[in-house]
Amino acid sequence: MGTSPFVLPFAALEVGQHLYWQIGNLRIHGQVFMTSWILIGALLTLVVVGTKKMERDPRGLQNLLEFLWDYIRDLARTQIGEKVYRDWMPFIGTLFLFIFVSNWGGALIPWKLIELPSGELGAPTADINTTVALALLVSLSYFYAGLSNKGLRYFEYYVHPTPIMLPFKIVEDFTKPLSLSFRLFGNILADELVVAVLVFLVPLVLPVPVMFLGLFTSAIQALIFATLAAYYIGEAVEEHH
Amino acid sequence: MTSLLLFGASEGGLFDFDATLPLMAAQVVLLTFILNALFFKPVGRVVEERENYVATTRLDAKKRLQEVEILENDLKNQLKEARRAAQKIISEAEEDSEKLYKEALALATSEANASRENARNEINSQRESALKQLKSDSDKLGDLIVQRLMSAK
């Protein structure tokens, strides 16, 4: 980039730099955990305050929480099915809430005001580790859901409707977490980069519509991730006849 | 400053996998259990309780509505019956009064006829007796005149 005299101090781009924390001989990305803890803390505060005094006639925060609960239940019920959706609703809901809070928190909170020695704070979902972790959890869950519901009959799914499907189904087991993680990671990172580049180039007005678009994308990505996770679990527990 | 360390960098990079991944996974699993205990279970309980309450209340209301409808129908039938009965009574009374009127009229007419007949009869008989009287009187008078004339001769 060179050293342009117009580069503003808060509009610098840092991609792929991390704040490393050393735990034993493990290294972790500190900025991801810092933001995720703050956002999880906010989420838990909301939940604890909202469920403190629940009544049959909801008021205040209880309305919001019940709306969320209803939304997640509908999502889980339509994708997983009436029979086992209850078991998986907390997982799907946590995925949705965590990703949603991470995406929006990353976009709405002015993290860049906090200076870190290395890397910068942002959405936890803009780090590939987070999205791969979530995607692998989804993979584990649908395997667990299938095996615990149908036992070894779960593997009938691989040769359903014909054994020709076997290689495709096996490949699917790898592409599912891959696409899940990269979709989320790519969207959130791209959004952050687009906003950062636009702010870097034109620090006024122009980035605002892109920021709104980013909020929209963030919400949609959370919904897509949760819906697909529920769909995979639903596919695994579905009974073939 | 704007270092785009993408692939294969020894330090950092966009695809820098390390212990963040399993720790984040563990954190999300933990969050799932915490949210289940703090959010999904309590809210679910409240929502399902309300759904049950609404369902039972609705059922109750439906039952009551049915009862009301039955009662309403009953009342309607009763009203109809009463109306019909009243109509019948009115028409009966009208018929009765008509009959009574006719009877009274007939009676009065026949009475009037009878008394007229009586009167006529009486008049006739009186006239006849008067004529008879008159005749006998005139006969007597004639005889007397004749006697007087005869005796005067």
Side-chain angles (χ1 to χ4, degrees), chain A residues 66-85:
Chain A
E66 281 190 14
F67 167 75
L68 281 175
W69 189 89
D70 216 42
Y71 188 76
I72 291 162
R73 178 178 67 168
D74 284 352
L75 198 159
R77 190 154 59 182
T78 46
Q79 299 299 335
I80 301 179
E82 198 67 51
K83 233 165 66 187
V84 287
Y85 83 91

Side-chain angles (χ1 to χ4, degrees), chain A residues 1 13 15-18 20 27-29 32 36-37 40 54 56 66 69 73 86 90 94 128-129 133 182, chain B residues 1-3 11-21 24 27 32 36 40 42 44 46 48 50-51 53:
Chain A
M1 280 297 165
L13 274 177
V15 176
Q17 295 194 352
H18 306 290
Y20 287 103
R27 291 209 303 179
I28 61 172
H29 296 168
V32 176
S36 72
W37 289 338
I40 288 172
M54 289 206 288
R56 204 175 62 199
E66 281 190 14
W69 189 89
R73 178 178 67 168
R86 271 162 211 280
T94 306
I128 189 81
N129 288 283
F182 274 77
Chain B
M1 193 159 56
T2 50
S3 54
E11 177 91 341
L14 275 181
F15 298 96
D16 177 28
F17 290 102
D18 54 19
T20 312
L21 197 158
M24 185 55 83
Q27 184 170 283
T32 303
N36 188 34
F40 291 104
V46 169
E48 268 158 17
R50 179 179 319 116
E51 276 170 1
Y53 171 74

Side-chain angles (χ1 to χ4, degrees), chain B residues 72-82:
Chain B
E72 205 189 342
N73 272 342
D74 210 37
L75 281 180
K76 259 187 196 155
N77 281 344
Q78 279 187 20
L79 200 66
K80 222 186 266 172
E81 209 91 316

Side-chain angles (χ1 to χ4, degrees), chain B:
Chain B
M1 193 159 56
T2 50
S3 54
L4 285 156
L5 296 162
L6 289 177
F7 295 93
S10 56
E11 177 91 341
L14 275 181
F15 298 96
D16 177 28
F17 290 102
D18 54 19
T20 312
L21 197 158
L23 278 178
M24 185 55 83
Q27 184 170 283
V28 171
V29 170
L30 188 69
L31 182 66
T32 303
F33 284 105
I34 294 173
L35 277 184
N36 188 34
L38 290 183
F39 176 49
F40 291 104
K41 267 187 188 162
V43 174
R45 203 168 43 234
V46 169
V47 170
E48 268 158 17
E49 262 174 25
R50 179 179 319 116
E51 276 170 1
N52 283 339
Y53 171 74
V54 169
T56 51
T57 317
R58 206 161 147 192
L59 211 71
D60 209 41
K62 230 181 218 169
K63 221 185 274 166
R64 275 194 209 164
L65 193 68
Q66 263 173 3
E67 275 172 23
V68 167
E69 267 166 8
I70 288 170
L71 283 178
E72 205 189 342
N73 272 342
D74 210 37
L75 281 180
K76 259 187 196 155
N77 281 344
Q78 279 187 20
L79 200 66
K80 222 186 266 172
E81 209 91 316
R83 227 174 245 155
R84 205 179 294 138
Q87 201 63 44
K88 208 168 143 199
I89 288 170
I90 288 172
S91 62
E92 269 178 13
E94 271 174 356
E95 261 169 40
D96 273 2
S97 67
E98 189 78 11
K99 218 164 81 186
L100 282 176
Y101 170 72
K102 271 184 187 156
E103 274 176 10
L105 194 67
L107 197 69
T109 313
S110 66
E111 263 175 20
N113 280 347
S115 63
R116 205 167 56 192
E117 203 64 29
N118 276 348
R120 194 186 286 148
N121 285 345
E122 207 160 311
I123 289 169
N124 278 350
S125 66
Q126 277 182 16
R127 192 202 280 152
E128 255 162 48
S129 66
L131 276 179
K132 224 184 263 170
Q133 186 84 37
L134 202 62
K135 209 176 177 184
S136 67
D137 279 357
S138 65
D139 278 354
K140 237 183 255 174
L141 212 60
D143 283 349
L144 200 62
I145 292 168
V146 169
Q147 263 175 15
R148 288 268 175 92
L149 284 177
M150 292 293 268
S151 61
K153 255 185 207 178

Side-chain angles (χ1 to χ4, degrees), chain A residues 93-114:
Chain A
T94 306
L95 282 178
F96 176 73
L97 291 176
F98 178 66
I99 294 172
F100 184 81
V101 164
S102 296
N103 293 351
W104 270 45
L108 287 178
I109 302 173
W111 300 107
K112 312 289 195 268
L113 294 181
I114 303 164

